[in-house]
Amino acid sequence: MEKLSEEKITEKAAKIIRAHGLKRTPQRLKILIYLMTHHNHPTAEMIFNDISLSDEKTGIATIYNTLNTFVDLGFVIEINNGNDGSTHYDFFAKPHFHVICTNCGRIADVEYTDFDKIETKMRQETEKQTGYITRSSHIKIYGLCPDCQKLENK
Amino acid sequence: MEKLSEEKITEKAAKIIRAHGLKRTPQRLKILIYLMTHHNHPTAEMIFNDISLSDEKTGIATIYNTLNTFVDLGFVIEINNGNDGSTHYDFFAKPHFHVICTNCGRIADVEYTDFDKIETKMRQETEKQTGYITRSSHIKIYGLCPDCQKLENK
DNA sequence: GTACATGCAAACCGTTTGCACTATC
DNA sequence: GATAGTGCAAACGGTTTGCATGTAC
């Protein structure tokens, strides 16, 4: 896993924000950096709590607004684990998909080397069958995480 | 597309309900038959409205309860299109995945012949990388439906 | 200076829950 | 007859919105 200095990651986040025509605000920077450095698939609430620990306050509405903006622009994705009613978010750097525990809702990443190839094929097939112009995809696998497997065997 | 008589489909729905250890109630039958005969990926609300046209009333709470039961048992799946805040449902007979229009939220089915093979591979890879025991998967493609493509070119 | 972003609180709305009633097996 | 399912209405909780204030460019 790449290890970037705080400066480097701020620079990188700022670049992403500017590249999408957004104004560089401390809130957006903080939220994006949070997503880039955490791989815990947080909810808006989790981000709110973690970020509120630092000096400046960020409103929950701003978190939601910002996340929606990021999702619309495509570099952050939404995940519904179906366990709690809330939406989880993930910075979408390298292609991967998600496994979700049907018992506790825990989300893990899976990096799959053939992902690109498969995705391309599926998108081609989709366009052929439906006439949609495809832009992106989202794959979720459901199962039981190691911890919940142990609990079940008790 | 298979065309079943009303009797046949009722029988089939009843069989599914009984096979999962559920009591056969008029409400469950009606909801399941609705899902089996409509491919419009309805929300709970849509089912409620359509079903309410017939004689017997079915409460919205019952719709939600029933849908959650069906989803837990695995023969109905949930889809969040990300456009409205509500959950859409789909009877999951033959393997397929979904395309969702990012503009209007319309959901379409894609039947993919190699789906099984790809799914198996992805699940194997998932189990290897994460230690999860996988049970099912859910693939969503995002894009622009034919109607919204036309609107955009105006 | 202007257009956009933030933040608070209130409103919103899809979904769940408590509880008395009813139907299934 | 026991157990499970239904339905109403009220509660819940995640998310959005209106609007006044603040900030990036």
Side-chain angles (χ1 to χ4, degrees):
Chain A
M1 186 109 320
E2 72 226 286
K3 195 81 189 170
L4 292 177
S5 68
E6 196 171 320
E7 237 174 81
K8 272 269 166 59
I9 216 148
T10 303
E11 201 180 304
K12 203 174 159 189
K15 200 171 283 182
I16 292 171
I17 287 172
R18 301 304 310 279
H20 287 90
L22 299 175
K23 288 187 180 167
R24 170 190 170 145
T25 68
Q27 292 86 346
R28 285 177 177 162
L29 262 182
K30 233 192 303 187
I31 293 168
L32 183 52
I33 289 171
Y34 183 93
L35 286 171
M36 290 168 76
T37 53
H38 293 70
H39 298 107
N40 53 347
H41 309 93
T43 60
E45 193 92 2
M46 287 163 70
I47 299 174
F48 177 70
N49 290 334
D50 289 0
I51 278 185
S52 295
L53 297 177
S54 62
D55 351 285
E56 311 152 64
K57 287 258 163 66
T58 302
I60 187 75
T62 300
I63 309 257
Y64 277 108
N65 288 337
T66 304
L67 287 171
N68 284 340
T69 305
F70 288 176
V71 168
D72 286 346
L73 294 173
F75 55 91
V76 166
I77 57 171
E78 293 182 339
I79 316 166
N80 291 88
N81 66 9
N83 251 285
D84 49 34
S86 54
T87 306
H88 296 248
Y89 296 87
D90 192 14
F91 179 66
F92 200 66
K94 52 180 98 168
H96 64 277
F97 56 87
H98 298 100
V99 219
I100 300 166
C101 179
T102 49
N103 191 52
C104 70
R106 196 160 100 190
I107 303 169
D109 289 332
V110 185
E111 277 170 34
Y112 188 25
T113 39
D114 285 343
F115 186 91
D116 274 348
K117 251 185 270 173
I118 287 177
E119 206 218 352
T120 305
K121 258 204 220 162
M122 287 194 304
R123 287 175 59 175
Q124 281 171 351
E125 186 65 26
T126 300
E127 302 202 343
K128 205 172 86 185
Q129 275 188 39
T130 64
Y132 278 55
I133 292 173
T134 65
R135 295 244 165 94
S136 61
S137 68
H138 192 183
I139 296 179
K140 295 194 286 195
I141 308 265
Y142 293 96
L144 214 54
C145 74
D147 288 353
C148 290
Q149 288 170 36
K150 279 180 212 146
L151 289 176
E152 224 170 53
N153 291 332
K154 269 194 187 154
Chain B
M1 186 112 318
E2 72 224 289
K3 194 82 191 170
L4 293 177
S5 67
E6 196 171 321
E7 236 174 79
K8 272 268 166 60
I9 215 147
T10 303
E11 201 181 303
K12 204 173 159 190
K15 202 172 281 180
I16 293 171
I17 287 173
R18 302 303 310 280
H20 287 90
L22 299 175
K23 287 187 180 168
R24 169 189 170 145
T25 67
Q27 293 85 344
R28 284 177 178 163
L29 262 183
K30 234 192 302 188
I31 294 168
L32 184 50
I33 289 172
Y34 183 93
L35 287 171
M36 290 168 77
T37 53
H38 293 69
H39 300 106
N40 53 346
H41 310 93
T43 60
E45 193 92 2
M46 286 163 70
I47 298 174
F48 176 69
N49 290 333
D50 288 359
I51 279 185
S52 294
L53 297 178
S54 63
D55 351 285
E56 311 152 64
K57 288 258 165 65
T58 302
I60 187 75
T62 301
I63 310 259
Y64 277 108
N65 288 337
T66 304
L67 287 171
N68 284 339
T69 306
F70 288 175
V71 169
D72 286 346
L73 294 173
F75 55 91
V76 166
I77 58 171
E78 292 182 339
I79 317 165
N80 291 88
N81 67 7
N83 251 286
D84 49 35
S86 54
T87 307
H88 296 248
Y89 296 88
D90 193 12
F91 178 66
F92 199 67
K94 53 181 96 171
H96 65 277
F97 57 87
H98 298 101
V99 220
I100 299 166
C101 180
T102 50
N103 191 52
C104 70
R106 196 161 100 190
I107 303 170
D109 290 332
V110 185
E111 278 169 34
Y112 189 25
T113 40
D114 285 343
F115 186 90
D116 275 348
K117 252 185 268 174
I118 288 178
E119 206 218 351
T120 305
K121 257 203 219 161
M122 287 194 306
R123 286 175 59 175
Q124 281 171 352
E125 186 64 27
T126 300
E127 302 202 342
K128 204 172 88 184
Q129 275 188 40
T130 64
Y132 278 53
I133 292 173
T134 65
R135 295 244 165 94
S136 62
S137 68
H138 192 180
I139 297 179
K140 296 194 285 193
I141 309 266
Y142 293 96
L144 213 55
C145 73
D147 287 354
C148 290
Q149 289 169 36
K150 279 180 213 147
L151 289 176
E152 225 170 52
N153 291 331
K154 275 198 185 149

